[in-house]
Amino acid sequence: MSRIGKLPINIPAGVTVTMNDNVVTVKGPKGELCQSVDPSIEVSIADGRVTLKEVETAMIDNPKQRHAYHGLYRALVNSMVVGVSEGFKKELELVGVGYRVSNNGNLIEFALGFTHPIIMLLPEQIKVTTKSERNQNPLITLESCDKQLLGMICAKIRSFRKPEPYKGKGIKFVGEVIRRKSGKSAGAK
């Protein structure tokens, strides 16, 4: 059995978890999330805990695949419970001269050194705030209850201008360390 899959998930106060036709629905103060679960995994909800167990079915004969699903769905359901109770938050930083960001509701406008501004409309599940202070790098703070959606949006924003290794310019996560390279002059003698 999967070690991660064996761990029970505690349901905090104010969160309800229901199972209906292989779909787990989690409701909490921050929102509502749904996740379909493979039939080879049995989800049981009792005593304020969610437990997942492998079930041998004719659908999946491969025990390795069942073990993988066991840990996967436990992690997904746990992320849903944490998301609707506490939420997830990511911060991105724009490093570079003239790089700017501003938002109007869920519409973000980037100035990243291209000839045109980049405009991105975010889904309603994501709350965004931007902060630009003098002599500080502009910051983008994204919050959501859906960890997967938040990660995809952050990756999309980062792809507009990935951090480059020579000067470190680009969009990076706050606290991320960029491996730097020396330029041409360091190698020549």
Side-chain angles (χ1 to χ4, degrees):
M1 272 178 97
S2 167
R3 291 183 189 173
I4 292 173
K6 285 182 188 178
L7 300 172
I9 302 165
N10 293 323
I11 302 172
V15 175
T16 58
V17 180
T18 56
M19 176 75 177
N20 215 1
D21 296 329
N22 288 340
V23 176
V24 176
T25 306
V26 182
K27 293 180 186 175
K30 300 260 182 186
E32 177 181 345
L33 296 171
C34 295
Q35 174 67 49
S36 62
V37 178
D38 195 82
S40 65
I41 303 299
E42 178 186 310
V43 179
S44 59
I45 304 158
D47 301 328
R49 289 182 161 194
V50 179
T51 53
L52 284 82
K53 192 166 68 171
E54 291 181 39
V55 178
E56 289 192 31
T57 62
M59 304 278 275
I60 298 177
D61 295 332
N62 187 356
K64 281 188 173 183
Q65 186 64 50
R66 275 200 315 269
H67 293 325
Y69 279 162
H70 191 205
L72 169 75
Y73 287 116
R74 192 266 176 203
L76 290 175
V77 172
N78 186 50
S79 291
M80 290 165 52
V81 170
V82 171
V84 298
S85 61
E86 301 168 19
F88 295 102
K89 181 179 175 180
K90 296 263 186 178
E91 287 187 322
L92 294 160
E93 178 180 17
L94 279 69
V95 180
V97 177
Y99 288 8
R100 293 186 311 276
V101 65
S102 62
N103 73 309
N104 186 7
N106 274 12
L107 192 70
I108 304 179
E109 184 175 344
F110 297 93
L112 299 173
F114 297 117
T115 58
H116 59 282
I118 297 172
I119 298 170
M120 182 178 186
L121 180 63
L122 297 178
E124 297 131 16
Q125 298 96 330
I126 294 186
K127 295 179 192 132
V128 63
T129 56
T130 56
K131 186 168 78 171
S132 298
E133 293 181 4
R134 192 169 176 85
N135 296 329
Q136 296 285 327
N137 290 331
L139 290 174
I140 307 166
T141 305
L142 300 165
E143 294 181 52
S144 178
C145 64
D146 192 348
K147 188 176 187 178
Q148 184 178 358
L149 178 66
L150 184 65
M152 285 181 4
I153 295 296
C154 286
K156 180 66 177 169
I157 290 172
R158 193 171 187 266
S159 73
F160 293 147
R161 188 67 96 163
K162 286 189 178 172
E164 53 95 18
Y166 296 102
K167 293 184 179 179
K169 292 169 55 173
I171 302 174
K172 67 180 188 106
F173 291 104
V174 171
E176 180 184 4
V177 177
I178 306 298
R179 289 191 61 196
R180 302 293 292 270
K181 290 183 179 179
S182 58
K184 290 190 291 186
S185 61
K189 281 205 172 191

